[in-house]
Amino acid sequence: MKRKYLIGLGIAIGCGATQAQTVLLDTIRTSVIVTDERQTSDNEIIKAMYEANGRHFQDPRAPRFLFMDRKGKVALGIGGYVKGTMSVDMGGISDNLDFVTADIPVPKQADMQNQFQMDASTSRLFLKLVGRNTAVGNFSVYVESDFRGKDGHQYDLRLRQAYIRLGNLLFGRTRSTFADGAAGPPTIDFEGPSGSVSKKNTMIQYKQQIDKNWSWAASIESPSESYTVVKNESKSIKQRIPDIPAYLQYEWNDGQSHIRLSGLFRALSYRNLVKEENEYAIGWASQLSGMIAFSPRITFYYQAAYGKGYADYLNDLGGSGYDLIPDGNGGKLKAPYALGIVGGLQYNLCKNFFVSASYSQCRLYDQASLSDSAYKYGQYVVANAFYTPFSNCQVGIEFLYGNRHNHDGESGNAHRLNAMIQYNF
């Protein structure tokens, strides 16, 4: 007689966390299994599907529906969420769909004081396949997309992540090894804190769990760069050396708390048109990050990054031309220093309601060779509340304040009120 399985899954979103998953195995009729969220067990494949370590608050949760092969060796999850947001800027705006403090007009402009926006482009879709193979052990395949489109074209499908993990090795595009997703505080705002390290790269990564508490990872990642150059003196060229990040992490409290020390090495190539030579500047950065669950109700999030030539990894500076900047005359470029800090606190009032508040700052140094209007630093303050009225549905409200200061001392500020409804599937 053929053996078949029925699997039920239990998922909760209350207070921004997914509860422990279990699976019930029983006899049923077909070789492919469609699962619904009901009950739980200890099946290893299902545990791998719902593994949540390293997940950012905005990342999709566990899939609601699951397909499984007859032998229970491979499972395919299909999930995502629909997210709609509404925002109002008052007394100054961030000239962006997201609240980017670098995009606050400086000096303040009378015709850019108010703004109303609605958006659904950060909704997500994903496929995740997990299984076990005698040759490689555990493996997984993951593809995730949203609707932000290429170069910000709203509502065009965009690939966010696509990778294959074979045992300890990962191949593909995902969050940089230098970025600590779980250390990001909860926000409705898609961009997040100004000083947060937030970047996705294509990579080859090796990750190892040393024991219950210690883990480490290192990778070689496809570099992307953004330079400020001087016409007829320097220009950006194709990169020749990959970015190389690594981290060492200690976690406790069943993964609810961790501390991570990360490092990043970059060799940034450019063309010196004065010397008619290809040259490079060394970039590096270090980061201390993590989260601490002081109790079931209180969680503290923190990030502090410092280095030079890594501006493309910081929310406020990415794509703004600050990886390399002019270094006087002669066509030479230099890697300016930058600082990013984030601190946030979350308080769970009950099972399905929590509040949080965070502060962040991003700062650029060595701007003397740039114009007076060059970015100097930006500050980002957020306070929000999230409520789960019923399973898989979450609503939230959020207040944001930000300011941008330029090298010449001029500044501008903005205020935004965000509201959100999200349904996970």
Side-chain angles (χ1 to χ4, degrees), residues 352-368:
N352 59 353
F353 182 67
F354 74 90
V355 296
S356 81
S358 304
Y359 170 81
S360 180
Q361 183 177 143
C362 182
R363 184 177 287 266
L364 181 71
Y365 301 94
D366 307 321
Q367 312 102 319

Side-chain angles (χ1 to χ4, degrees), residues 194 196-199 224 226 264 266 268 284-285 307-325 335-339 362-364:
S194 58
S196 181
V197 173
S198 177
K199 185 170 176 59
S224 60
S226 180
L264 172 68
R266 309 188 78 190
L268 299 164
W284 61 267
K308 66 176 184 176
Y310 79 111
D312 208 43
Y313 282 77
L314 291 169
N315 270 351
D316 237 18
L317 301 181
S320 298
Y322 295 133
D323 281 330
L324 295 182
I325 62 175
Y337 284 90
L339 170 72
C362 182
R363 184 177 287 266
L364 181 71

Side-chain angles (χ1 to χ4, degrees), residues 101-121:
T101 58
D103 291 337
I104 296 173
V106 178
K108 215 167 189 179
Q109 299 178 21
D111 60 342
M112 301 184 74
Q113 294 297 297
N114 299 281
Q115 178 177 229
F116 175 81
Q117 300 181 103
M118 300 181 75
D119 180 43
S121 65

Side-chain angles (χ1 to χ4, degrees), residues 277-288:
E277 294 177 353
N278 291 342
E279 299 182 344
Y280 67 89
I282 296 298
W284 61 267
S286 59
Q287 179 178 216
L288 183 68

Side-chain angles (χ1 to χ4, degrees), residues 100-405:
V100 183
T101 58
D103 291 337
I104 296 173
V106 178
K108 215 167 189 179
Q109 299 178 21
D111 60 342
M112 301 184 74
Q113 294 297 297
N114 299 281
Q115 178 177 229
F116 175 81
Q117 300 181 103
M118 300 181 75
D119 180 43
S121 65
T122 59
S123 300
R124 307 278 180 91
L125 292 171
F126 77 86
L127 298 173
K128 183 177 183 179
L129 183 143
V130 298
R132 185 186 299 276
N133 183 281
T134 54
V136 298
N138 293 335
F139 66 90
S140 62
V141 180
Y142 186 76
V143 178
E144 179 192 326
S145 62
D146 65 13
F147 299 87
R148 274 298 172 93
K150 186 177 180 181
D151 299 324
H153 292 292
Q154 199 173 0
Y155 301 124
D156 287 350
L157 192 67
R158 176 181 69 167
L159 181 69
R160 288 180 55 82
Q161 300 187 73
Y163 63 81
I164 301 169
R165 183 178 290 279
L166 304 174
N168 292 333
L169 284 171
L170 179 146
F171 308 85
R173 177 178 176 81
T174 187
R175 183 174 288 111
S176 172
T177 303
F178 188 62
D180 186 353
T187 63
I188 296 173
D189 174 42
F190 182 69
E191 176 81 1
S194 58
S196 181
V197 173
S198 177
K199 185 170 176 59
K200 292 179 174 64
N201 286 331
T202 303
M203 69 183 72
I204 300 174
Q205 181 198 71
Y206 182 85
K207 179 180 178 181
Q208 183 179 22
Q209 189 73 38
I210 301 171
D211 58 26
K212 180 181 178 181
N213 304 109
W214 290 95
S215 62
W216 70 276
S219 58
I220 56 173
E221 302 186 4
S222 179
S224 60
E225 77 289 341
S226 180
Y227 301 163
T228 297
V229 298
V230 178
K231 187 177 181 180
N232 299 324
E233 290 190 9
S234 56
K235 73 173 185 177
S236 177
I237 61 174
K238 301 293 184 182
Q239 297 302 297
R240 298 173 288 173
I241 300 173
D243 291 356
I244 305 175
Y247 73 74
L248 178 66
Q249 176 171 303
Y250 179 82
E251 65 180 54
W252 66 101
N253 193 20
D254 293 326
Q256 298 302 306
S257 302
H258 76 267
I259 182 170
R260 177 185 292 189
L261 181 62
S262 307
L264 172 68
F265 171 82
R266 309 188 78 190
L268 299 164
S269 301
Y270 67 95
R271 180 71 174 177
N272 188 322
L273 297 176
V274 176
K275 294 182 178 180
E276 296 186 349
E277 294 177 353
N278 291 342
E279 299 182 344
Y280 67 89
I282 296 298
W284 61 267
S286 59
Q287 179 178 216
L288 183 68
S289 62
M291 56 186 292
I292 302 174
F294 292 111
S295 73
R297 290 183 179 272
I298 302 174
T299 302
F300 175 62
Y301 302 88
Y302 60 94
Q303 301 176 46
Y306 181 76
K308 66 176 184 176
Y310 79 111
D312 208 43
Y313 282 77
L314 291 169
N315 270 351
D316 237 18
L317 301 181
S320 298
Y322 295 133
D323 281 330
L324 295 182
I325 62 175
D327 184 18
N329 298 318
K332 188 174 179 60
L333 299 181
K334 65 178 179 180
Y337 284 90
L339 170 72
I341 57 172
V342 182
L345 197 65
Q346 175 178 322
Y347 184 77
N348 301 327
L349 283 85
C350 64
K351 179 182 177 181
N352 59 353
F353 182 67
F354 74 90
V355 296
S356 81
S358 304
Y359 170 81
S360 180
Q361 183 177 143
C362 182
R363 184 177 287 266
L364 181 71
Y365 301 94
D366 307 321
Q367 312 102 319
S369 61
L370 301 176
S371 67
D372 289 342
S373 62
Y375 179 102
K376 184 175 183 180
Y377 70 91
Q379 298 182 96
Y380 178 105
V381 180
V382 57
N384 48 41
F386 294 88
Y387 174 61
T388 304
F390 55 89
S391 180
N392 296 307
C393 182
Q394 191 173 58
V395 296
I397 190 167
E398 174 173 274
F399 174 76
L400 294 148
Y401 168 78
N403 59 49
R404 169 182 167 147
H405 293 253

Side-chain angles (χ1 to χ4, degrees), residues 9 18 21 33 35 44-55 59-69 73-80 124-132 138-145 159 161-166 170 174 207 425:
L9 307 175
T18 304
Q21 313 294 327
I33 304 157
T35 66
E44 290 300 320
I45 298 299
I46 307 305
K47 282 185 177 181
M49 178 66 71
Y50 296 99
E51 209 285 316
N53 285 347
R55 178 180 289 155
D59 288 345
R61 295 331 192 216
R64 186 171 182 179
F65 299 102
L66 187 68
F67 299 84
M68 203 165 187
D69 72 349
K73 298 294 185 182
V74 178
L76 174 66
I78 303 173
R124 307 278 180 91
L125 292 171
F126 77 86
L127 298 173
K128 183 177 183 179
L129 183 143
V130 298
R132 185 186 299 276
N138 293 335
F139 66 90
S140 62
V141 180
Y142 186 76
V143 178
E144 179 192 326
S145 62
L159 181 69
Q161 300 187 73
Y163 63 81
I164 301 169
R165 183 178 290 279
L166 304 174
L170 179 146
T174 187
K207 179 180 178 181
F425 59 87

